[in-house]
Amino acid sequence: MSERVVIIGGGPGGYEAAHVAAQLGAEVTIVDSDGVGGSAVLTDCVPSKTLIATAEVMSDLAGAAELGVEFHDAEGDAATGIRVDLGKVNARVKQLAADQSADIGRRLTRDGVTVLRGRGSLAGADRVVAQLDDGTEQMLRADAVLVATGASPRTLPSAQPDGERILTWEQVYDLTEVPTELIVVGSGVTGAEFASAYLNLGIPVTLVSSRDRVLPGEDADAATVLEDVLTRRGMTVLSRSRMESVTRDGDVVTVTLTDGRTVQGSHCILALGSVPNTADMGLEEAGVVLKDGGFVNVDRVSRTSARGVYAAGDCTGVLMLASVAAMQGRIAMWHFLGDTVHPLDLKKVSSNVFTAPEIATVGWSQQAVESGEMQAEIVTLPLSGNPRAKMQGVHDGFVKLLCRPGTGIVVGGVVVAPRASELIHPVSLAVAESLTADQLAQAFTVYPSVSGSIAEAARRLHRI
Ligand SMILES: Cc1cc2nc3c(=O)[nH]c(=O)nc-3n(C[C@H](O)[C@H](O)[C@H](O)COP(=O)(O)OP(=O)(O)OC[C@H]3O[C@@H](n4cnc5c(N)ncnc54)[C@H](O)[C@@H]3O)c2cc1C
């Protein structure tokens, strides 16, 4: 008889696990409350990157004059401005997300996975209660349960979203009018991405950051480049400014800072981090230990403290990325169903901040080297010397490589550039396969290409 796997949550942690489990012959049921694809597809990752695709076009257009492109109307008069139709952009965003969710649903059906629409909770380690949207309830017996319920935007009692002018990142796609003055609170990845996107869409943006600089968790040189670019393009960045409250009076939103200063705008996006969706699910009663903040404690093969119960994705707080959620989910199923499994290795995860320019990172960081956690040689090459970047009018950005002294094995890298998310792949491959800087340098790159700088940085790490 097949093993019965019940998955709670249909985001990347859940649906990727379902594919693996079905492929390995298990009988798989997903209980999902909001639509397969999860927040990743419906409200977070896919919508924000679709919005950013429009922002990128605007950013390219803003730099077009340097490349000799001018805009004129039919009469030949210089066009006065380019405008974004936010209603159209948001409609496209929502349609694309809905279509992707439907695609995922079809693939699950094709693989024989049962998808139940409703809310799941544990009734012990081997039972899931599904309260279905049609009002009925099902008790599902399971040989293994995967909890992949994701996380939700964090809000504060003093900063409550109203869905109109004070918004979480899930609510921005309902905007019908263009904000005249947008305030983004929070300068982590989500805050920086929205601030950069709306700035490029032509909206005045103030970014409220409690830290010294934007993106406190990222490479410091990369964050400095980004902050320079954002301020040069007209963004007001308020650093060391902690939000106390956000209030609304008619059309005016006021952000009050802890030092008493106030910032006013037409709209405010709250990017204050996420809280795991783990409350009232019977987890602790079933023996699942939760960490501080309610995240599920898991090991590197996604096991929780309860036998047969695994967890994957944002609800574990391990690294809040769709790619990591998906890998944790697959690892859980490979482990449970006895296939070959490699424990999760966070030092091989590549990630990207989708600002303009993008910031892509993999492996060990310069910060870890400076704190003595890791020994590595570091080379940084500014893109200003790269021939392709010059041709394209790209002035900001760099390539940074880290390799082990002695062996020359590449252990990390950072790319700050347009499309850095694509450029990081050779570095990611080198880190995953423990290639040396010499090996990375010896592979041909196209001339001229921005990736030529990756090979050049690797050549500079050559030691005799
Ligand atoms: C604005 C934004 C942009 C992002 N961009 C990127 C990006 O570009 N790249 C990237 O890799 N990551 C990105 N992320 C992170 C990424 O979205 C998450 O890491 C990913 O969604 C985690 O997947 P998951 O499966 O853990 O959870 P989710 O995608 O949140 O899915 C969980 C699902 O479970 C459902 N659920 C919750 N509780 C229950 C229950 N009790 N019963 C049934 N169903 C339940 C939820 O409704 C949801 O549908 C972004 C995040 C944000 C906020």
Side-chain angles (χ1 to χ4, degrees), residues 257-270:
L257 307 178
T258 46
D259 60 11
R261 283 176 297 154
T262 56
V263 191
Q264 290 196 320
S266 65
H267 294 77
C268 173
I269 299 177
L270 302 170

Side-chain angles (χ1 to χ4, degrees), residues 8-14 31-35 37-46 48-49 118-121 148-151 169 173 190 193-194 274 277 281 312-315 319-325 352 354:
I8 311 179
V31 185
D32 181 77
S33 52
D34 292 271
S39 306
V41 170
L42 293 167
T43 54
D44 297 358
C45 180
V46 169
S48 66
K49 264 76 265 185
R119 200 174 174 283
S121 55
T149 48
W169 61 72
Y173 310 104
T190 299
E193 287 188 353
F194 278 112
S274 305
N277 300 326
M281 281 189 62
D314 282 7
C315 68
L319 184 54
M320 289 192 167
L321 287 174
S323 51
V324 172
N352 191 59
F354 288 83

